[in-house]
């Protein structure tokens, strides 16, 4: 009998959830559609389950249902767009077996849709980026005349189903500096029939508010800012710091969550402009990749989420430690490489500054993702796999160049 099963075990936030619940004395299993998963090696992972099917598919669902029937797990926690979509679609059926740590519709439907989220924010008086909705690539030219360049193209919903491939596709935001770039990005982002937003490009500080909300009550609120992200535009934070909740975006986030009535965990992202005015970017209604900085600072969101989903008493957290740094080293390496490869583009740190900042960060006291001195095996496994991938990729590129030069 398991207390919880954590899906998407390959994600960083899933390892955080396993450790968080395990340290509370709960029995936790983890499931992923591959076996090279550092989280499986955690001392608090009672069972690592390898699903033979791609996440989000009917076969994945059938495997999960069969495992739930035999395991008796009480709560399921998901952290990826594909599994969230799957749980939404089959929620009524799955909840006959397990409790799902995920907000309900219509609140969840609003939160995963940027256009719907921004409309609610606009009605509440929050600042939102100037933007135009695009349904087809031929609408790009007119949209650019209204928004200007550089601009950001992003999907209204980050995850779409691809019937031909039999799986889901996740789309990330794109910075465009020319009309040709915008046209190509729009063609890629709309090929599955999705809608995209063309928004003004904001370069100020990126801040996020994490909230645990249930039964009309905020049980915890936490703030962080991202010094570096991967990729540098709209990516996950790879170097972040806990900060006191800013009065402006703290109040705005709470108003937004209450208006939508979005229960469970949510991360509300903002980007400030050069004048310091915060603009709402989006809401992530699932455990975010950066959640470990909150846990290390004293706000155990995975455990709060479990308490809520399990129907028990939810703890209330009134304070946390500010000024704590946390770094995702693999992501920071990739961010630095991106700065070297894309030098000169808007929003990209100059190469020399990027290398200097990356190096100096080693002298800053901070936590590192994956590293828990009471549970080191996942960090060792993640580092080993990254090293082999890095070396293997370099060798493959070298052999490819030799082959081309000899032909």
């Amino acid at each position: 009998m398991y207390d919880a099963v954590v899906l998407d075990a390959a994600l960083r936030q899933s390892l955080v959830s396993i450790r968080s619940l395990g340290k509370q004395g709960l029995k936790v299993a983890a499931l992923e559609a591959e076996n090279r998963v550092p989280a499986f090696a955690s001392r608090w992972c009672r069972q690592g389950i390898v699903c033979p099917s791609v996440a989000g598919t009917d076969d994945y669902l059938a495997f999960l249902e069969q495992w739930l029937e035999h395991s008796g797990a009480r709560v399921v926690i998901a952290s990826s767009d594909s599994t969230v979509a799957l749980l939404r679609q089959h929620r009524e059926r799955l909840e006959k077996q397990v409790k799902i740590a995920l907000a309900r519709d219509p609140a969840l439907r609003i939160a995963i849709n940027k256009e719907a989220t921004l409309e609610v924010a606009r009605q509440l008086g929050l600042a939102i980026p100037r933007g135009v909705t695009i349904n087809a690539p031929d609408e790009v030219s007119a949209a650019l005349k209204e928004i200007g360049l550089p601009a950001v193209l992003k999907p209204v919903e980050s995850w779409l189903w691809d019937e031909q491939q039999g799986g889901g596709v996740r789309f990330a935001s794109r910075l465009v500096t020319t009309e040709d770039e915008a046209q190509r990005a729009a063609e890629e982002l709309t090929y599955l029939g999705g809608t995209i937003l063309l928004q003004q490009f904001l370069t100020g500080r990126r801040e996020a508010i994490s909230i645990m909300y249930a039964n009309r009550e905020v049980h915890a609120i936490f703030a962080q800012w991202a010094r570096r992200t991967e990729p540098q535009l709209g990516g996950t934070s790879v170097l972040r710091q806990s900060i006191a909740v800013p009065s402006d975006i703290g109040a705005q986030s709470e108003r937004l969550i209450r208006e939508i009535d979005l229960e469970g965990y949510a991360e509300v992202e903002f980007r400030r402009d050069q004048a310091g005015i915060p603009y709402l970017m989006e809401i992530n209604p699932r455990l975010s990749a950066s959640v470990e900085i909150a846990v290390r600072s004293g706000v155990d969101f995975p455990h709060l989420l479990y308490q809520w989903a399990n129907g028990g008493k939810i703890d209330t957290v009134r304070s946390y430690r500010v000024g704590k740094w946390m770094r995702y080293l693999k992501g920071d390496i990739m961010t630095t490489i991106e700065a070297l490869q894309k030098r000169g583009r808007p929003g990209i740190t100059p190469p020399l500054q990027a290398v200097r900042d990356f190096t100096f960060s080693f002298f800053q006291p901070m936590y590192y993702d994956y590293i828990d001195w009471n549970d080191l095996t996942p960090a060792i496994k993640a580092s080993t796999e990254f090293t082999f991938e890095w070396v293997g990729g370099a060798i493959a590129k070298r052999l490819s160049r030799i082959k081309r030069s000899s032909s």
Side-chain angles (χ1 to χ4, degrees):
M1 178 70 71
Y2 289 97
D3 294 294
V5 56
V6 177
L7 308 184
D8 314 305
L11 299 180
R12 284 182 287 152
Q13 58 266 49
S14 296
L15 174 59
V16 177
S17 298
I18 292 165
R19 286 170 167 168
S20 167
L21 301 183
K23 290 176 183 179
Q24 295 291 334
L26 300 172
K27 296 179 181 178
V28 187
L31 187 148
E32 184 54 271
E34 57 178 294
N35 57 12
R36 296 171 60 188
V37 179
F40 287 170
S42 172
R43 62 183 294 189
W44 286 289
C45 180
R46 297 292 186 93
Q47 183 183 2
I49 309 123
V50 180
C51 177
S53 304
V54 177
T57 62
D58 291 339
D59 289 340
Y60 180 96
L61 176 66
F63 182 90
L64 175 61
E65 286 183 304
Q66 185 178 28
W67 185 86
L68 289 172
E69 182 179 353
H70 288 90
S71 70
R74 290 203 288 265
V75 172
V76 61
I77 297 176
S79 297
S80 76
D81 294 324
S82 59
T83 48
V84 166
L86 185 74
L87 295 178
R88 281 186 66 211
Q89 183 180 358
H90 302 283
R91 184 164 201 156
E92 184 177 352
R93 186 165 123 195
L94 286 168
E95 285 188 327
K96 295 176 182 178
Q97 296 178 284
V98 70
K99 297 173 182 177
I100 299 174
L102 196 64
R104 292 187 174 275
D105 285 334
L108 184 57
R109 184 174 64 249
I110 295 172
I112 65 174
N113 185 290
K114 296 180 182 67
E115 191 174 21
T117 298
L118 294 176
E119 176 58 26
V120 174
R122 185 190 63 78
Q123 293 175 8
L124 292 175
L126 276 67
I128 61 175
R130 290 185 295 107
V132 176
T133 301
I134 296 175
N135 295 294
D138 59 9
E139 299 175 10
V140 167
S141 182
L144 286 176
K145 291 179 181 178
E146 182 173 343
I147 303 301
L149 288 168
V152 177
L153 274 171
K154 60 178 64 173
V156 168
E157 293 190 12
S158 301
W159 190 89
L160 293 173
W161 183 257
D162 188 341
E163 293 287 351
Q164 294 182 347
Q165 299 295 326
V169 179
R170 191 181 191 283
F171 295 102
S173 301
R174 306 287 181 84
L175 172 69
V176 294
T177 58
T178 66
E179 184 169 338
D180 286 342
E181 277 188 1
Q183 192 74 35
R184 290 194 299 270
E187 289 172 357
E188 182 176 347
L189 294 175
T190 59
Y191 90 95
L192 291 179
T195 303
I196 58 177
L197 293 173
L198 180 75
Q199 290 182 336
Q200 70 179 116
F201 177 49
L202 298 170
T203 59
R205 177 159 145 154
R206 176 177 161 179
E207 298 173 346
I209 300 292
S210 297
I211 293 182
M212 182 65 208
Y213 169 80
N215 305 316
R216 297 287 178 179
E217 182 180 349
V218 173
H219 292 270
I221 184 168
F222 172 85
Q224 62 177 293
W225 78 284
R227 184 169 180 177
R228 291 197 289 275
T229 63
E230 192 273 315
Q232 291 197 33
L233 173 69
T236 59
S237 59
V238 298
L239 183 63
R240 65 263 197 207
Q241 184 184 37
S242 62
I243 59 174
V245 177
S247 58
D248 50 7
I249 64 173
Q252 291 177 16
S253 298
E254 185 170 338
R255 287 172 57 206
L256 184 61
I257 293 298
R258 288 185 180 277
E259 179 67 22
I260 300 174
D261 198 23
L262 184 66
E263 291 200 312
Y265 172 88
E267 184 183 70
V268 188
E269 294 187 9
F270 292 85
R271 176 79 76 169
R272 295 186 184 273
D273 65 8
Q274 296 302 314
I277 298 173
Y279 288 76
L280 177 69
M281 293 289 104
E282 63 180 2
I283 299 176
N284 290 317
R286 51 179 172 74
L287 288 173
S288 50
S290 62
V291 73
E292 188 167 2
I293 183 65
V295 177
R296 300 277 188 138
S297 300
V299 188
D300 194 344
F301 280 115
H303 187 230
L304 297 175
L305 184 65
Y306 172 84
Q307 289 178 321
W308 166 69
N310 198 40
K313 179 181 179 298
I314 308 171
D315 295 335
T316 298
V317 182
R318 300 296 184 189
S319 63
Y320 57 87
R321 296 179 291 277
V322 300
K324 298 298 180 181
W325 286 97
M326 189 146 206
R327 188 185 197 188
Y328 175 39
L329 186 55
K330 174 185 174 181
D332 207 7
I333 292 171
M334 303 312 295
T335 296
T336 306
I337 293 174
E338 181 186 24
L340 301 177
Q341 294 175 335
K342 298 183 179 180
R343 65 183 69 189
R345 287 182 64 82
I348 298 296
T349 306
L352 289 178
Q353 180 184 340
V355 173
R356 184 189 64 215
D357 291 347
F358 174 83
T359 304
F360 285 174
S361 293
F362 285 105
F363 300 96
Q364 174 79 41
M366 67 178 63
Y367 302 114
Y368 280 79
D369 287 79
Y370 287 105
I371 297 179
D372 182 326
W373 296 110
N374 294 312
D375 188 34
L376 277 176
T377 310
I380 295 171
K381 188 170 183 178
S383 301
T384 302
E385 290 181 356
F386 175 63
T387 301
F388 278 117
E389 289 176 4
W390 184 278
V391 173
I395 293 174
K397 289 181 180 178
R398 178 62 178 169
L399 293 175
S400 177
R401 285 197 293 267
I402 293 174
K403 185 178 180 180
R404 287 199 302 268
S405 61
S406 61
S407 59

